[in-house]
Amino acid sequence: MGAKISHGSSNQVGGGPVSEINVTPLVDVMLVLLIVFMVAAPLMAQGVKVDLPTSNAKPLIEEKPPVAVSLDSQGTLFVDKTEVTHDTLIAVLTRETEGDKERRINIRGDKALAYGKVIEAMGEINDAGFSKIALVSDPPKN
């Protein structure tokens, strides 16, 4: 930023200091910030938060065991071994987790079941405020 002070003769009108703001650095900074946000914005968009296990992952050590939500090949929902409906799923999960929204929920879906049914169950659980959702799979057979 710069300023220009006039030391002109006494015949100038208003003979006080004249200041001019140099806006070039401001424009440069704004363009850099615009580019940074344009690159970073798509990386911030996420859907349902899911912890996906890898085949070589070690078991998670947690104080409380996770609650298992299972879907069989017909799409029937189970919380642990208790059959539930879509209407009672959240109430049963809240009871099983004792209201702890940070408790891990493991979803086990039959491989013959349509993928949309699993995503629908995950969406319902996530909408209820449970944030730690994991998909369970069998390790590969060697």
Side-chain angles (χ1 to χ4, degrees):
M1 184 156 78
K4 183 190 217 179
I5 300 176
S6 173
H7 295 294
S9 63
S10 62
N11 60 3
Q12 285 183 337
V13 177
V18 177
S19 5
E20 295 177 14
I21 296 175
N22 187 1
V23 296
T24 304
L26 176 67
V27 171
D28 291 343
V29 169
M30 295 306 290
L31 286 174
V32 168
L33 287 174
L34 176 67
I35 292 169
V36 167
F37 283 115
M38 286 173 56
V39 170
L43 300 176
M44 289 187 263
Q46 294 180 354
V48 177
K49 293 181 182 177
V50 178
D51 297 325
L52 293 177
T54 60
S55 61
N56 296 327
K58 295 179 182 176
L60 296 173
I61 300 172
E62 296 188 23
E63 293 178 17
K64 296 181 179 180
V67 176
V69 174
S70 304
L71 288 101
D72 66 7
S73 59
Q74 286 79 34
T76 308
L77 277 167
F78 295 89
V79 174
D80 289 328
K81 293 183 179 180
T82 307
E83 185 175 340
V84 296
T85 64
H86 284 280
D87 296 332
T88 60
L89 173 64
I90 302 307
V92 173
L93 274 177
T94 304
R95 185 184 73 225
E96 290 292 321
T97 60
E98 299 166 350
D100 182 11
K101 300 286 185 183
E102 293 298 313
R103 182 104 171 256
R104 184 166 303 278
I105 309 291
N106 287 345
I107 297 185
R108 302 171 64 234
D110 192 281
K111 67 180 178 180
L113 184 66
Y115 185 65
K117 297 283 187 180
V118 176
I119 295 300
E120 182 181 327
M122 286 176 60
E124 288 178 26
I125 294 168
N126 189 258
D127 288 344
F130 294 96
S131 59
K132 292 186 175 182
I133 302 171
L135 295 174
V136 177
S137 64
D138 289 330
K141 296 178 183 176
N142 292 331

